[in-house]
């Protein structure tokens, strides 16, 4: 069960952030509206929110998930792979430290983006990507092992359609892994019940279990139907403006 989440309101320069997709420029009013609705959804799931002010130094800083990894007993400050995002870690660390006394960090030359880290019960999948490097994965594995977790890596560098590991997979509890079709054959996933996301809906593979609900992006009826068929309770959110900046549902909050 999660009780809290940290979010950051998008800044007026949100559209200056990094993106690899060509879906147009986000409309700022709609960005704020979708973010407010996302916050309401987390509250509906029972979470108390710590809402941070916009940070105009970092246009991508609303994607708070990339700057820290939170486990029940410890927090790990990351070291984002994009240089424009490096400073986000120092900006969020004091907030995380309000809630965590045990902390670790990723040191140079390691890089890790939180979006590459997928926790499935006591195991962490670490995506090695164009943001998270092998050295970052090595350091993170050592920290996770010290905390009693296991970890393994999944190399996504050859996959051109996803930015982070969690753009393509999500663990939603009940031994169920939501996975985009392209990744479903990975033998590391053999022990899970797989909920395969068809290629036309692959953006929705980034969903988030928050207590009794599963947050999932709007506009992906096949996945919504499959979640319901398997007994999950989807909470559907319009993510169009965040998708334009390569962002998914998980990256907008740190849940703990
Ligand atoms: C970036 O490219 O870093 C941001 N525009 C999007 C980050 C999305 N984060 C995530 O999926 N965890």
């Amino acid at each position: 069960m999660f009780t809290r989440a940290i979010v950051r309101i998008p800044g007026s320069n949100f559209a200056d952030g990094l993106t690899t997709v060509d879906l147009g420029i986000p409309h700022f009013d709609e960005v704020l509206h979708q973010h407010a609705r996302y916050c309401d959804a987390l509250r509906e799931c029972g979470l108390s929110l710590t809402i941070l002010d916009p940070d105009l130094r970092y246009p991508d800083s609303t994607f708070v998930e990339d700057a820290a990894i939170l486990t029940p007993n410890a927090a790990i400050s990351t070291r984002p792979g994009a240089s424009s995002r490096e400073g986000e870690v120092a900006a969020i660390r004091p907030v995380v430290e309000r809630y965590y006394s045990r902390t670790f960090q990723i040191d140079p030359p390691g890089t890790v983006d939180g979006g590459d880290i997928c926790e499935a019960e006591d195991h962490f999948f670490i995506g090695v990507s164009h943001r998270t490097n092998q050295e970052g994965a090595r350091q993170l594995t050592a920290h996770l092992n010290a905390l009693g977790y296991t970890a393994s890596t999944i190399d996504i560098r050859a996959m051109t359609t996803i930015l982070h590991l969690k753009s393509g997979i999500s663990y939603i509890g009940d031994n169920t892994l939501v996975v985009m079709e392209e990744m479903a054959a990975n033998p590391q996933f053999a022990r899970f019940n797989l909920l395969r996301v068809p290629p036309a809906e692959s953006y929705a593979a980034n969903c988030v279990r928050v207590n009794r609900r599963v947050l999932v992006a709007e506009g992906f009826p096949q996945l919504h139907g499959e979640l319901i068929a398997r007994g999950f309770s989807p909470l559907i959110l319009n993510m169009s403006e965040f998708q334009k900046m390569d962002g998914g549902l998980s990256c907008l909050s740190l849940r703990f």
Side-chain angles (χ1 to χ4, degrees), residues 14 25-28 30-31 34 238-245:
F14 173 72
I25 296 169
H27 300 290
F28 188 57
E30 187 56 19
V31 172
Q34 290 180 7
N238 186 351
M239 289 292 293
S240 64
E241 303 314 290
F242 296 102
Q243 186 177 7
K244 291 174 180 173
M245 301 307 291

Side-chain angles (χ1 to χ4, degrees), residues 14 17-20 59-61 63-67 80 82 84-85 88 113-117 131 163-167 206 242 244-252:
F14 173 72
L18 303 169
T19 190
T20 59
D60 278 317
S61 56
F63 300 118
V64 287
E65 179 186 61
D66 291 318
S84 65
R85 303 198 58 190
E88 291 178 31
D113 273 18
D116 278 316
I117 314 309
R131 299 289 180 85
L163 175 67
H164 289 127
L165 177 63
K166 270 192 299 194
S167 317
N206 178 267
F242 296 102
K244 291 174 180 173
M245 301 307 291
D246 267 335
L249 280 161
S250 67
C251 39
L252 288 178

Side-chain angles (χ1 to χ4, degrees), residues 74-245:
I76 301 160
S77 288
T78 64
R79 190 165 173 270
S83 55
S84 65
R85 303 198 58 190
E86 264 175 43
E88 291 178 31
V89 174
I92 207 148
R93 184 183 284 126
V95 183
V96 167
E97 286 177 354
R98 275 186 228 157
Y99 305 103
Y100 282 90
S101 53
R102 192 168 184 200
T103 57
F104 298 87
Q105 67 183 39
I106 303 297
D107 292 316
T111 60
V112 171
D113 273 18
D116 278 316
I117 314 309
C118 178
E119 180 179 4
E121 307 296 347
D122 289 339
H123 186 77
F124 283 72
F125 293 111
I126 304 174
V128 173
S129 68
H130 296 296
R131 299 289 180 85
T132 296
N133 65 16
Q134 297 277 10
E135 170 59 14
R138 190 196 63 74
Q139 291 180 27
L140 179 59
T141 299
H143 298 322
L144 291 170
N145 289 166
L147 291 165
Y149 300 104
T150 55
S152 60
T153 58
I154 297 177
D155 193 335
I156 62 161
R157 283 174 293 183
M159 298 185 64
T160 52
T161 56
I162 56 172
L163 175 67
H164 289 127
L165 177 63
K166 270 192 299 194
S167 317
I169 67 168
S170 307
Y171 180 70
I172 57 168
D174 303 323
N175 201 43
T176 301
L177 203 59
V178 175
V179 57
M180 65 192 283
E181 198 57 57
E182 226 175 316
M183 299 183 78
N186 191 317
Q188 294 197 53
F189 303 153
R191 67 193 168 94
F192 296 96
N193 302 321
L194 295 190
L195 203 168
R196 292 163 178 257
V197 181
E201 297 200 353
S202 63
Y203 174 72
N206 178 267
C207 43
V208 193
R209 176 76 184 256
V210 186
N211 299 338
R212 301 176 64 81
R213 310 297 301 272
V214 178
L215 308 190
V216 55
E218 184 178 285
F220 303 98
Q222 219 167 310
L223 179 58
H224 301 163
E226 191 60 34
L227 285 167
I228 291 167
R230 294 190 189 208
F232 293 98
S233 174
L235 199 168
I236 295 168
L237 292 168
N238 186 351
M239 289 292 293
S240 64
E241 303 314 290
F242 296 102
Q243 186 177 7
K244 291 174 180 173
M245 301 307 291

